[in-house]
């Protein structure tokens, strides 16, 4: 049985990525992070998604990136609301968390080495999304090269790490359709950056707006 470490935020993209890994026959070890994010409610969603999609294990690593701040997700900075899709698609927004995917992938790499797994899944998306630098194909390719230099298993030739990014060139609408085909439980996923005290999405942050656009374009109801 092939093992894979799957990064799981609790959002739609990472849930779809986990479902793809399961469909492709991987035994999945889901990894989430409590990094001091304002939308910690996503961790409850991640736990439900992991159970629902049959992850072998689900771990939450505690890494307080809010000690550094520097992002609207980890510091007392306002989350941008009601931006136009044109504005969302230009520049790197204040919701960018410094070095987040580099850090997340490093934790995934460590767990993969212990599990003797060569496969890491991450649901990054470079197309229909805010312009985060650590979601781009060139970042992933460079990270994969580094990963194979960085580990004992890599140097000894026991594993050749592959970072799977099956969603990287898909539009949000394509991801929604794929998720529907794979039976991703939309209702338990959480996308909002700035949910209310009851965990309900704000409907106005970039993540909420992109999610709505994706469902509308896919012609599927977001339950
Ligand atoms: Zn929102």
């Amino acid at each position: 049985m092939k093992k894979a470490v799957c990064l799981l935020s609790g959002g739609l993209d990472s849930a779809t990525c986990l479902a793809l890994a399961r469909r492709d026959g991987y035994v999945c070890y889901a990894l989430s992070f409590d990094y001091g994010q304002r939308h910690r409610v996503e961790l409850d969603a991640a736990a439900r998604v992991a159970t629902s999609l049959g992850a072998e294990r689900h771990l939450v690593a505690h890494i307080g990136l809010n000690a550094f701040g520097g992002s609207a997700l980890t510091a007392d900075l306002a989350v941008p609301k009601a931006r136009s899709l044109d504005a969302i698609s230009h520049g790197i927004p204040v919701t960018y968390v410094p070095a987040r995917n580099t850090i997340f992938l490093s934790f995934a790499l460590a767990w993969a080495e212990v599990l003797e797994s060569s496969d890491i899944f991450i649901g990054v998306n470079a197309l229909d999304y805010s312009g985060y630098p650590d979601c781009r194909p060139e970042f992933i390719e460079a990270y994969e090269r580094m990963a194979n230099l960085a580990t004992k298993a890599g140097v000894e030739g026991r594993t050749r790490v592959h970072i799977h990014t099956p969603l990287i060139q898909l539009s949000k609408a394509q991801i929604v359709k794929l998720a529907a085909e794979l039976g991703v439980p939309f209702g338990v996923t959480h996308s909002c950056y700035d949910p209310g005290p009851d965990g309900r999405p704000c409907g106005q942050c970039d993540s909420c707006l992109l999610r709505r656009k994706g469902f509308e374009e896919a012609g599927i109801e977001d339950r």
Side-chain angles (χ1 to χ4, degrees):
M1 295 291 266
K2 300 178 291 183
K3 296 175 184 172
V5 176
C6 300
L7 293 175
L8 183 67
S9 71
L12 179 62
D13 293 0
S14 66
T16 306
C17 197
L18 172 61
L20 275 171
R22 293 283 295 132
R23 183 201 66 184
D24 292 346
Y26 288 94
V27 176
C28 292
Y29 293 76
L31 180 57
S32 305
F33 296 90
D34 183 345
Y35 60 95
Q37 65 269 50
R38 66 166 68 219
H39 54 315
R40 284 184 76 252
V41 63
E42 71 176 359
L43 294 172
D44 299 332
R48 292 194 297 266
V49 168
T51 301
S52 171
L53 293 177
E56 182 75 9
R57 280 186 71 190
H58 177 225
L59 281 186
V60 178
H62 293 257
I63 51 167
L65 297 183
N66 56 333
F68 305 144
S71 165
L73 300 189
T74 55
D76 193 14
L77 300 169
V79 172
K81 296 285 171 73
R83 298 206 298 157
S84 69
L85 292 170
D86 187 55
I88 290 174
S89 65
H90 288 93
I92 300 170
V94 71
T95 49
Y96 163 72
V97 178
R100 181 174 58 184
N101 282 348
T102 307
I103 295 163
F104 287 4
L105 282 170
S106 297
F107 273 74
L109 181 61
W111 199 15
E113 186 166 16
V114 173
L115 292 167
E116 299 185 340
S117 162
S118 302
D119 298 282
I120 295 170
F121 282 76
I122 180 169
V124 290
N125 181 252
L127 197 66
D128 205 2
Y129 207 67
S130 300
Y132 296 141
D134 51 359
C135 291
R136 296 175 302 157
E138 50 267 54
F139 164 73
I140 297 294
E141 286 160 21
Y143 192 94
E144 190 176 274
R145 273 203 310 282
M146 184 281 292
N148 283 299
L149 297 170
T151 55
K152 182 181 179 193
V155 168
E156 292 177 350
R158 283 184 284 116
T159 59
R160 172 101 207 138
V161 172
H162 182 39
I163 314 284
H164 299 257
T165 57
L167 310 183
I168 199 159
Q169 297 293 355
L170 299 186
S171 70
K172 205 71 170 174
Q174 287 173 311
I175 293 170
V176 169
K177 284 182 188 166
L178 182 59
E181 284 167 25
L182 293 166
V184 170
F186 293 132
V188 305
T189 63
H190 175 93
S191 298
C192 180
Y193 289 148
D194 193 23
D198 55 356
R200 293 188 73 80
C202 75
Q204 296 294 321
C205 70
D206 292 1
S207 189
C208 281
L209 293 173
L210 287 167
R211 179 173 175 132
R212 185 186 307 155
K213 173 177 177 280
F215 275 92
E216 280 173 5
E217 287 178 4
I220 291 173
E221 188 193 352
D222 190 3
R223 297 178 299 281

